Amino acid sequence: MFYRDTNNSPFYDPSEAVIAKHNLTPISEEEFNQIVTVINTPTVEQLAESARAKRNQLIAETDYLMMPDYPVPVEVRASVETYRQSLRDITEQAGFPDLIDWPVKPEDV
């Protein structure tokens, strides 16, 4: 029921025609699950890209507060600046990109 092709792509319960066409080799369910796990596990680069995208979105959500003519109290602006800098610094965290301690958005924003 479990097969793989020469590129190690998994196949589950293929028809005889598919087996012949792709030159499939029978494998155990355990081998099949290992291949699928590898395929579904993001790379470090993908994790980093995803984290940066989230970081950029969170920063963008506070852009309006940094506009020079936006009416915001000085202490709120300072807390937003700290928050935004903490977001920029996530790439410097020891666990990046696997473990990220995301900063908390200031309550008054």
Side-chain angles (χ1 to χ4, degrees):
M1 289 183 75
F2 301 98
Y3 294 83
R4 68 175 171 83
D5 65 11
T6 56
N7 295 319
N8 216 29
S9 297
F11 287 79
Y12 174 71
D13 200 20
S15 68
E16 289 298 321
V18 171
I19 292 171
K21 180 180 178 182
H22 295 281
N23 194 25
L24 301 182
T25 304
I27 58 174
S28 69
E29 183 175 357
E30 182 180 337
E31 290 173 295
F32 177 86
N33 290 334
Q34 287 173 348
I35 293 170
V36 170
T37 298
V38 168
I39 290 170
N40 292 329
T41 302
T43 65
V44 171
E45 293 81 16
Q46 290 169 326
L47 289 172
E49 182 180 331
S50 177
R52 286 187 179 99
K54 178 179 177 177
R55 183 240 1 237
N56 293 345
Q57 178 61 39
L58 291 171
I59 290 172
E61 289 173 4
T62 61
D63 281 349
Y64 72 98
L65 293 164
M66 297 292 101
M67 300 298 240
D69 61 344
Y70 190 81
V72 60
V74 173
E75 60 276 358
V76 172
R77 184 179 301 271
S79 67
V80 172
E81 287 172 350
T82 300
Y83 169 68
R84 290 165 60 95
Q85 187 58 54
S86 295
L87 288 169
R88 288 186 193 97
D89 292 342
I90 65 162
T91 59
E92 303 303 318
Q93 292 180 11
F96 183 83
D98 296 311
L99 298 171
I100 300 171
D101 184 16
W102 290 97
V104 177
K105 189 174 184 179
E107 289 183 21
D108 45 2
V109 175

